[in-house]
């Protein structure tokens, strides 16, 4: 089955710097890759996603890139702010009618003022 | 618009007691529904999912069970709670490609 690896597990940056989180997946047939942000004590919130027919997607300060050949996708946050501090989860959905998302283990991002 | 509800928000239960957590979705029909558990500081563990009334798929063998008595209602149950059942229980629903989480129930087993 699908396996998603996420790195790094923790990331600390200075306010205004960029942050990059990477995920690799094992099933080449996976076709949907969302990213979630979870603030302390709250539910994970979908912040951006990408489908396998697209290489890059941007939404203001966040962007996701997908490399299907290498089977990895990345979250990029530019001009980081303290409110970006949270745990970020990547996920992949295998093709073939799978109803499940397979999640990475999460990255704790800390943005220092 | 679609809304997902969970209750209770917090729960403290003794070991060996029963459990019932409820999740309901508004504004959609025949959604895919999911139960996840998140231990403190850990990742998201899929417990059950359902693609329709009475259809339950179990991902992890344990002392929990799930039921879907109505189209937009998903229930997580246990007959006897264990200490290891403590965690943040999240219901989720799928809309097209996207999956959205409910507010969660924080369960502490003492």
């Amino acid at each position: 089955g699908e396996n998603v690896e996420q790195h790094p597990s923790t990331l600390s940056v200075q306010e205004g710097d960029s942050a990059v989180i990477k995920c690799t997946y094992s099933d080449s047939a996976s076709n949907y890759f969302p990213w979630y942000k979870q603030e302390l004590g709250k539910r994970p919130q979908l912040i951006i996603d990408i489908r396998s027919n697209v290489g890059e997607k941007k939404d203001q300060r966040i962007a996701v890139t997908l490399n299907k050949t290498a089977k990895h996708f990345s979250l990029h946050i530019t001009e980081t702010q303290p409110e970006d501090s949270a745990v970020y989860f990547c996920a992949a959905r295998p093709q073939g009618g799978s109803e499940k998302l397979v999640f990475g283990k999460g990255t704790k991002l800390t943005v220092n003022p | 618009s679609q809304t997902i509800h969970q209750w209770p928000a917090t729960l403290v239960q003794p070991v060996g007691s029963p459990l019932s957590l409820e999740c309901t979705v508004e504004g959609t029909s025949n959604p895919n529904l999911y139960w996840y558990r998140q231990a403190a500081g850990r990742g998201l563990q899929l417990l059950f999912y359902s693609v329709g009334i009475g259809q339950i798929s179990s991902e992890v063998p344990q002392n929990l069970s799930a039921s879907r008595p109505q189209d937009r209602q998903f229930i997580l149950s246990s007959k006897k709670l264990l200490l290891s059942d403590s965690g943040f229980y999240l219901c989720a629903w799928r809309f097209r490609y996207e999956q959205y989480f409910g507010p969660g129930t924080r369960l502490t087993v003492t």
Side-chain angles (χ1 to χ4, degrees):
Chain A
E2 174 66 283
N3 182 50
V4 176
E5 300 282 342
Q6 184 171 346
H7 299 280
S9 56
T10 61
L11 179 61
S12 182
V13 300
Q14 290 299 120
E15 183 177 359
D17 288 350
S18 295
V20 180
I21 303 170
K22 297 181 179 180
C23 289
T24 60
Y25 60 99
S26 59
D27 187 347
S28 58
S30 289
N31 61 356
Y32 175 66
F33 307 91
W35 285 89
Y36 290 83
K37 174 185 180 182
Q38 186 177 29
E39 297 176 355
L40 191 62
K42 298 188 176 180
R43 75 181 94 180
Q45 298 269 21
L46 177 65
I47 56 172
I48 196 167
D49 58 9
I50 193 168
R51 301 183 196 178
S52 58
N53 59 347
V54 176
E56 182 176 3
K57 184 176 179 181
K58 296 181 76 172
D59 183 4
Q60 299 181 354
R61 295 186 299 107
I62 60 173
V64 56
T65 58
L66 172 64
N67 184 325
K68 290 171 57 180
T69 302
K71 290 189 287 186
H72 69 71
F73 56 111
S74 299
L75 177 71
H76 304 254
I77 306 174
T78 59
E79 301 173 21
T80 54
Q81 302 168 3
E83 51 266 38
D84 294 328
S85 297
V87 177
Y88 291 82
F89 292 97
C90 65
R93 177 176 288 131
Q95 206 178 22
S98 174
E99 303 301 333
K100 303 178 290 184
L101 285 175
V102 179
F103 283 87
K105 294 187 184 299
T107 296
K108 183 177 182 180
L109 172 65
T110 302
V111 180
N112 302 300
Chain B
S1 64
Q2 300 84 6
T3 309
I4 183 168
H5 302 279
Q6 285 187 247
W7 61 88
T10 60
L11 191 60
V12 180
Q13 292 283 96
V15 168
S17 64
L19 173 74
S20 181
L21 303 181
E22 189 166 344
C23 169
T24 59
V25 182
E26 296 178 355
T28 187
S29 60
N30 197 32
N32 285 2
L33 296 172
Y34 306 83
W35 277 113
Y36 289 83
R37 178 170 62 198
Q38 188 174 36
R42 305 298 294 274
L44 298 159
Q45 180 188 29
L46 179 63
L47 301 175
F48 302 94
Y49 69 93
S50 171
V51 300
I53 296 174
Q55 300 179 64
I56 308 295
S57 295
S58 174
E59 289 296 301
V60 183
Q62 52 201 336
N63 68 320
L64 298 173
S65 62
S67 62
R68 186 168 176 177
Q70 300 181 45
D71 180 43
R72 289 171 284 180
Q73 184 185 33
F74 203 20
I75 297 173
L76 182 70
S77 304
S78 174
K79 293 182 180 178
K80 288 186 178 182
L81 284 168
L82 307 173
L83 283 175
S84 57
D85 290 325
S86 291
F88 192 35
Y89 287 80
L90 293 154
C91 182
W93 71 284
R94 178 178 169 180
F95 176 69
R96 298 175 185 167
Y97 277 85
E98 298 85 18
Q99 182 173 298
Y100 298 97
F101 288 89
T105 294
R106 194 163 303 280
L107 171 66
T108 304
V109 182
T110 60

